[in-house]
Amino acid sequence: MNAFRRLAALLACTLALSACGEPQARANDVRLGIALEPPNLDPTSGAAAATDEIVYANVFEGLTRVGAHGEVLPALAERWDVSPDRLTYTFHLHPGAHFHDGTTFDASDVKYSLDRARAADSTNAQKGLFEPIASVDVVDPLTVKVTLSRPAGDFLFNMGWGDAVIVAPESAATNAVKPIGTGPFRFSRWLRGTQIELVRNPDYWGPPARLDAATFVVISDPAAAYAALLAGDIDSFPNFPAVELLPQIEGDPRFAIVIGTTEGETILAINNARKPFDDLRVRQAIAHAIDRKALILGASEGYGVPIGSHFPPHDPAYVDLTGTYPYDIAAGRRLLAEAGFPDGFKATMKLPPVAYARRGGEILAQQLKVIGIDVSIENVEWAQWLDQVFANGDFDLTIVSHTEPRDIAIYARDDYYFRYAKPAFKALMAELDLAGDDAVRRPVLQAAQRMLAEDAVNGFLFQLPKVGVWNARLMGQWANAPVQANDLTGVYWQEP
Amino acid sequence: MKRSSASLAIGLAFTALILAAAGLSLVWTPYDAELILVEQRLMPPSAAHWFGTDQMGRDVLSMILGGARNSIAVALVAAGIGLGAGVPLGLFAAAQGGIVDEIVMRSNDLIFAFPALLLAILITAIAGPGAINAIVAIGIFNIPVFARLARGGALALWPRDFVRAARVAGKGRLRISLEHILPNIASVLIVQGTIQFSLGVLAEAGLSYVGLGAQPPAPSWGRMLAESQTYFALAPWLALAPGLAIVTTVLGLNMLGDGLRDLLDPRIRRERAI
Amino acid sequence: MVRFLAGRALALVITLLAATLVVFLVLNVVPGDPAAYMMGLGGDPAALAELRRELGLDLPVWQRYFAWAGGLAMGDFGVSYTYRVPVGDLILERMRVTLPLTLMAMALSTALAIPLALFAAGRRGRAADAAVSGLAQVGLAIPNFWLAILLVFVFSTTLKLFSAGGFPGWEAGVWPALKALVLPAVALALPQAAVLTRVARGALIETMGEDYIRTARAKGLSERRALRDHALRNAMIPVLTILGLQFTFLLAGGIIIENVFYLPGLGRLVFQAIAQRDLVVVQGVVIVLVFAAVLVTLAVDAAYALADPRVGKGRR
């Protein structure tokens, strides 16, 4: 019986201790909640957005960087010259920059990083970004000349992606587990399954970070995230996973709720190569059947801006095309009948394991049923989705959010999973690559948006929102997510 | 004896209630259990919606009724797989003895050694989620349970006089197994069947909870729990209703099993496996 | 006895070998490609092919099996595809959460079940006994993940006594770490306690009917002392058997609970690894769990053999 008594005592202690709470003095650090743990910390290998969300702009930097509003800013390159034919970019590098292991940053690191990313044996997931590069030449330790084989409209923006950060040859092989960059924060340690810790880099070449340290804590369960926020365990959720619980936080002066935008166009992707979806009238019918308002309420708690094409509403070149095929059941039925399906048809919808897709799928299946399309839902894991839908185009319908920035050009790819690649659209994209100036690019981008909307390539649903919830005294976080990143360089605590 | 009859009565009542709910859902539910009306989401229990509505505006009572059908179908068929494959295996092993017995029993041990839930998750990862695959995943783990039980019962019976008499009369091992052994272990099998049925309901709920059971729009208790979890503070009825439905079903079946055991054969002392 | 154990140990090795083969074959028919998962939505086909080569995924199945099983024999579990660290280290790291959680749940369930069983056995047939049995019935019927949801609602969302999930790590101190394991352990322990109570009560009542206890009772030993000092000792074997089974069940069965509470344990590691098709990790974890299960069975058998020398001689 003695053992039982001891155990009871132990339990009582635990209970008592928990009641004491822990109101401690706040150090100059921040604890951020993230939903997904990255598989590794090397942004130049896998495609995990979770990796960029931790290391981009904090640990690793590129030649350029993408700012809070999607603009291209100088980073390791303090300025650049572009030749008139837009084939030669001369980058002037920032002097005095060092990697976290003490090695000096110079032009040879730039050449190494770019050559590594575009090499034949490269495992860079965004190898396509580097495809236009013909050669990289070191002019002097602080000058690099990049020559392109053809003009690339987004080249400077692309050099600001997480996949294009500059790494050192000495540490490139071990960045996955021990990232060494040039950024304002150094990697400190990684408790797998729990948290990743960064500390300020005292030798940073630019304006130093204002925080001493930052910890990214992995919490994906919505209920746990909510509780951790209320308990003060977490200072900020840049992407709060429990949107349904926002009504309970609203009005609490301790927290700031910031609804921003992302680059995530959420679409009902349609297999344009497969019958009967190759018929424009069928796709138009689907577009007419979609009630975006009900969908956004059910799939995203009402947050998210409706879209009518594959383009983010916060971009200056955006056109509102949500009225192209308005919610109109009669029109949908009529178009289906015209296409030869007066009694509708059967189709399947493969849904990846994210809330917007799973919930949105149930709602869309019902909306499509109203016009006669009998949709059966098949829930799949990401691995299966990537294999069946994305790699092999084996699907009728699916729901997914395309979070890559400036990605309208995917519609020009021949074997991209929704199989559109209309020659007229490809011509528009080619035109875009030749245009350097925003004034020239804008009408082209708008024509492209219209073409996608009118062809009803996919069901365009809504722009994925970025719902940030953080301590009201924490300043300087991004409201929007033009790239998948949590740039902490400007974050600080306001004095109470 | 008094308690066992009480157990039997309560078990019968609960089981009948759930079976009736499942049967009723075939012909009638208050609302269409799959009908989404987003504007009517998260309504608390009322006269119109006894158990309220969920985050999609569906009627929770209708979903509970429909979920009963799914739950019972999966668990029943999975128990059937166990009986159908396990009992012949066990009888065969007992009748043959020697190396055959050894192989059958060691294979059973191998299945037992595998973490059941993990393997079920793997099976659904291979075959994709869905009610059918959940049945297979649960059914596979029912096979060794019945095989062991049948073999144990049969081994105890083979040396008995009436079996020896049958052998002397020239009956083959197969015929003896079917005509003499099986009827004598039937009651044990029925009791174990009830228990595996109830475990199947729990297992199905667990698989559905992690998203590997019946797929939407078909209602399932486990998935209802998973989806409603984050709404608990806003709409507690969403998590209470399916949970109580699972508890009622499992409790009913367990008590039925206990009651049956005492009724059919008071000598059986087999405790349930986990 | 020695021969019996040697025979069982041989069976253990054969089971493990068969398990490696089964696990490997099962996992290699799983659709989905770990390299494709890592490359994601915008993945470049050439980069994907290169990654597959780097991970050795382009080799024939049998070659990969022998490489893996050979390493396993030397205690090398291989290197995780996604994490890029040795699988053995990952498993050890996660064991630091799963093992304490399992032991805590077992301690809790024993601490609840044995006194309840003694209490019920001492009053068998009376109202108190019926109440305990009823309670155990209800305990058996509650799915542990539902219990977890209710516990979180009551103790963390409403009373704010515990956090709803996550694990601070042992580095944060023993108390905060143990505190994070309390609710999950309770959720795991209650249904197990119900099983244990039923088994222990049954075993106690059975031993109370044995001749030597009747003799002792006739000599004036009180029922309570007879239960506690004699029956309990003899009821220990079925109780230990169930505890052994529960240990392996909890080790693997924490998958759902670890996901509810977001604990970085073995269950979540393997769940995540399945989703990411990090097959090396899945294989490693399954083998560890199978090993644990077989070892526990061996230990239980040995305990039986020690308690009853006849067991070792005959067949099971």
Side-chain angles (χ1 to χ4, degrees), chain C residues 121-258:
Chain C
R123 291 161 186 74
R124 63 185 166 281
R126 281 187 258 161
D129 182 24
V132 169
S133 294
L135 217 63
Q137 281 285 15
V138 175
L140 277 178
I142 297 180
N144 57 18
F145 51 90
W146 187 55
L147 187 61
I149 298 174
L150 298 182
L151 287 173
V152 166
F153 181 69
V154 174
F155 291 100
S156 60
T157 314
T158 311
L159 297 176
K160 300 194 170 37
L161 284 175
F162 294 94
S163 73
F167 186 71
W170 294 103
E171 292 79 2
V174 174
W175 286 119
L178 280 182
K179 197 180 124 189
L181 296 181
V182 170
L183 287 188
V186 171
L188 282 172
L190 286 188
Q192 301 303 323
V195 177
L196 206 56
T197 306
R198 284 166 60 100
V199 173
R201 175 185 165 276
L204 282 172
I205 288 175
E206 197 168 332
T207 36
M208 284 301 277
E210 303 262 344
D211 291 342
Y212 73 99
I213 301 240
R214 288 169 187 244
T215 316
R217 290 285 322 266
K219 282 183 181 166
L221 189 72
S222 79
E223 163 141 5
R224 188 160 299 182
R225 283 203 58 191
L227 263 174
R228 207 182 61 200
D229 297 348
H230 297 276
L232 186 58
R233 251 185 71 197
N234 285 288
M236 264 318 174
I237 290 214
V239 169
L240 281 177
T241 310
I242 294 292
L243 275 178
L245 286 172
Q246 290 191 348
F247 178 74
T248 44
F249 170 80
L250 287 173
L251 220 48
I255 294 184
I256 294 181
I257 290 296
E258 282 178 11

Side-chain angles (χ1 to χ4, degrees), chain C residues 109-125:
Chain C
S109 93
T110 317
L112 262 173
I114 301 301
L116 272 178
L118 280 170
F119 176 78
R123 291 161 186 74
R124 63 185 166 281

